[in-house]
Amino acid sequence: MNADTANWRRDFWRDRKVFVTGGSGLVGGWLIRRLLEAEADVVCLVRDWVPQSELIQSRLIDKVTVVRGELNDQALLERAIGEHEISTVMHLAAQTIVGIANRNPISTFETNIGGTWKLLEACRRSPKVGQIIVASSDKAYGEAATLPYSEETPLAGRHPYDVSKSCSDLIAQTYAVTYKLPVVITRCGNFYGGGDLNWNRIIPGTIRSIVRDQRPVIRSDGSFVRDYFYVEDGAAAYMFLAEQLARRPELAGEAYNLSTEIQMSVVEIVNRVLQVMGSSLTPDILGQASHEIPHQYLSARKAREQLGWEPLFTLEEGLRRTIEWYLNYLQPTVATARLPWSAGPVAKSA
């Protein structure tokens, strides 16, 4: 995705009715911001009122139509999609925390699996829906012998969260193949960015620890390897895929890995944050994590070659934007003084 295709097509999005699930989540808040900038007419499903979320903190919620309710309420979904004459659906809602899934698998299965088929069934009954983007995950692949994952890698989750993403991914494919529903699936690495207030996640937790002058905590032994994908890249990619699907209906049923294709261990990403923030602290490695896949990273070759997609931000640029957001959130009166770089545009040019 070059500098031209990085920008939305205003003629496509202006006044378009877009239904977003998971709008109070990390990616959802940034996606809604981008959709509003493109002059879309956004309808957002909200289950819990999360005052710290980007959707509410930034007052974006005042600019969207809010439907209050559960993703598992199929009647509510059919009413919302039908009455608001939705054209494009962005399905981001999920229970995303691995630890919670391990402790409470039923709620994770009900949301991630049941919520997906109920939403897709509601879309099937709503003839105005023209594009559906379903956010899956690299976790859907489970643990594979060959890396990086390609879209041909079998979906073989074993632990609760991974299984929930494998199942929801397959259900999305079922609706595309059997019912000809216009669905495209995304499989992304670990999202990071401003607005993620789950402090158990490695990047926000590390930034907060540094701000407090405390050693960042690593629950695992630090060797787990992951992709780290900046949240604004994810939001841009979802809109890009919806535009592509509208122009190329034959993409229905396709899945795309989205990644910077940079693999980093947990220790490496923590040290990178420490370096960017100019901190001399060292991580506290606990070695306590369980039921997590040790090595996961993606090939984005299919998206690059078929669609001309590429990330808009480098890892360093994404981290700088992320750190700036958290410094303003955690210590707004001293944030500017704490930044070791000068603020400025960081979008990657073609």
Side-chain angles (χ1 to χ4, degrees), residues 13 27 40 52 72 102 132 135 148 181 188 254 258:
W13 292 105
V27 187
Q52 303 90 355
N72 280 317
N102 289 336
I132 307 162
L181 214 59
C188 301
E254 295 286 349
L258 301 173

Side-chain angles (χ1 to χ4, degrees), residues 14 21 28 43 46 76 103 125 181 274:
R14 179 177 285 142
T21 72
V43 180
V46 174
L76 174 74
R103 292 190 300 271
R125 298 165 184 257
L181 214 59
L274 287 163

Side-chain angles (χ1 to χ4, degrees), residues 47 71-72 93-116 159-165 167-168:
R47 184 188 69 175
L71 186 62
N72 280 317
Q95 194 300 102
T96 61
I97 308 303
V98 172
I100 292 174
N102 289 336
R103 292 190 300 271
N104 192 1
I106 300 304
S107 67
T108 301
F109 294 156
E110 287 176 342
T111 299
N112 296 3
I113 303 173
T116 296
H159 302 303
Y161 178 71
D162 310 339
V163 166
S164 77
K165 301 309 287 187
C167 290
S168 62

Side-chain angles (χ1 to χ4, degrees), residues 13-19 35-36 38-43 63-65 84 86 88:
W13 292 105
R14 179 177 285 142
D15 300 326
R16 175 169 290 267
K17 300 277 192 173
V18 183
F19 186 64
L35 287 167
L36 290 172
E39 301 181 24
D41 187 348
V42 179
V43 180
K63 301 176 182 179
V64 305
T65 299
H84 291 287
I86 298 298
T88 302

